[in-house]
Amino acid sequence: MATNESSDQVMGQGVMSTGEGARIFPDVEACIDCGGCVVACKRTWDVPHDEQRISISTMLEGQPADPMEFNGNSPGALGQANASPGETSIPMQCYHCENAPCVSVCPVDSLVKKENGFVEVRDDLCVGCQYCLSACPFGAPQFPAEDEGAASLFGTGGTMDKCTMCEERQDVGKGPACAEECATDALLVGDATEIADELDKRGTDPFFNDRAMEIVFGDDAGEFER
Ligand code: SF4
Ligand code: SF4
């Protein structure tokens, strides 16, 4: 994977490299739930006002952390008995999973895991059955209302839409708009080793459990077991 030198100045610290094999992954301890990523995505891709390709999931909303043991966003505490991690925000979007369940269940091969790593939706094939929505552990598939195309035959009226990880921007050496906009570098972009190294440097554990990490990173999930 090649980091595009000319784009380094426009990339935030969370963007380590882009292009083939790059992944996107949240550092939930850095997320402050400001919604900047959601706005950047909507603005960049003209996403309709009633739809968003990133959603911020908040756990333990309004609950303070135990100041003696954890910081306010610490997910590390979630796995510990009697721990009080406080309010935790998780930017959820398509992580372009290595073992993508959405691709496995799509009955018409509308979803494909491409050789360069991106999971792409082929709009013209989607019939709007929403199987992918059931299969995705991260709530990434969206179904904007539409009256045209194959999906209208099946009653949902909308074909699937989701984060593209800004493939077109990456093609010209830019990072995903959400990651570049994030004021706290809570969205990390790079290969699995780079993301694992960055989390390590920050002293943050990956938020997801082992099964989810295996879905997102495949064999590379081992990079995070340190
Ligand atoms: S399972 Fe969800 S997060 Fe993973 S590639 Fe499919 S839509 Fe994206
Ligand atoms: S909604 Fe479209 S993309 Fe999703 S499983 Fe059905 S046909 Fe495939």
Side-chain angles (χ1 to χ4, degrees):
M1 177 190 328
T3 299
N4 187 316
E5 301 271 333
S6 64
S7 63
D8 283 351
Q9 292 131 341
V10 296
M11 291 184 178
Q13 281 188 328
V15 183
M16 294 154 287
S17 65
T18 58
E20 195 167 320
R23 318 303 302 273
I24 192 159
F25 196 69
D27 169 1
V28 301
E29 293 209 39
C31 178
I32 55 170
D33 193 17
C34 68
C37 52
V38 178
V39 173
C41 175
K42 278 176 165 281
R43 194 179 55 223
T44 303
W45 298 110
D46 215 9
V47 178
H49 68 89
D50 57 347
E51 189 199 334
Q52 53 192 58
R53 291 175 172 177
I54 305 175
S55 60
I56 315 287
S57 279
T58 303
M59 299 175 67
L60 304 173
E61 190 166 358
Q63 293 191 29
D66 180 340
M68 298 303 289
E69 294 185 61
F70 306 109
N71 76 35
N73 290 325
S74 176
L78 290 175
Q80 299 174 33
N82 304 318
S84 172
E87 185 171 299
T88 301
S89 299
I90 312 134
M92 305 274 270
Q93 62 203 99
C94 177
Y95 300 123
H96 297 263
C97 305
E98 190 60 33
N99 298 317
C102 61
V103 173
S104 309
V105 300
C106 179
V108 292
D109 295 334
S110 167
L111 286 160
V112 283
K113 174 82 175 167
K114 300 200 298 183
E115 276 188 13
N116 61 11
F118 295 98
V119 172
E120 185 182 79
V121 194
R122 298 186 290 189
D123 290 354
D124 53 331
L125 295 179
C126 176
V127 294
C129 66
Q130 302 195 6
Y131 285 180
C132 53
L133 179 59
S134 304
C136 173
F138 310 108
Q142 303 280 305
F143 289 88
E146 270 175 34
D147 296 324
E148 296 176 0
S152 62
L153 301 175
F154 288 77
T156 67
T159 54
M160 195 267 234
D161 182 62
K162 70 170 184 65
C163 154
T164 63
M165 216 178 136
C166 289
E167 184 174 358
E168 292 89 339
R169 285 170 59 89
Q170 293 200 34
D171 284 346
V172 294
K174 294 182 177 176
C178 56
E180 286 190 354
E181 188 81 10
C182 179
T184 59
D185 293 321
L187 288 165
L188 307 179
V189 181
D191 65 21
T193 307
E194 289 170 315
I195 292 172
D197 285 349
E198 181 65 22
L199 288 177
D200 222 21
K201 201 166 76 188
R202 297 179 182 191
T204 307
D205 291 325
F207 175 76
F208 298 121
N209 67 20
D210 291 349
R211 179 70 189 116
M213 292 298 280
E214 196 185 295
I215 289 172
V216 175
F217 289 103
D219 291 343
D220 288 345
E223 293 287 330
F224 295 83
E225 292 163 10
R226 301 175 177 184

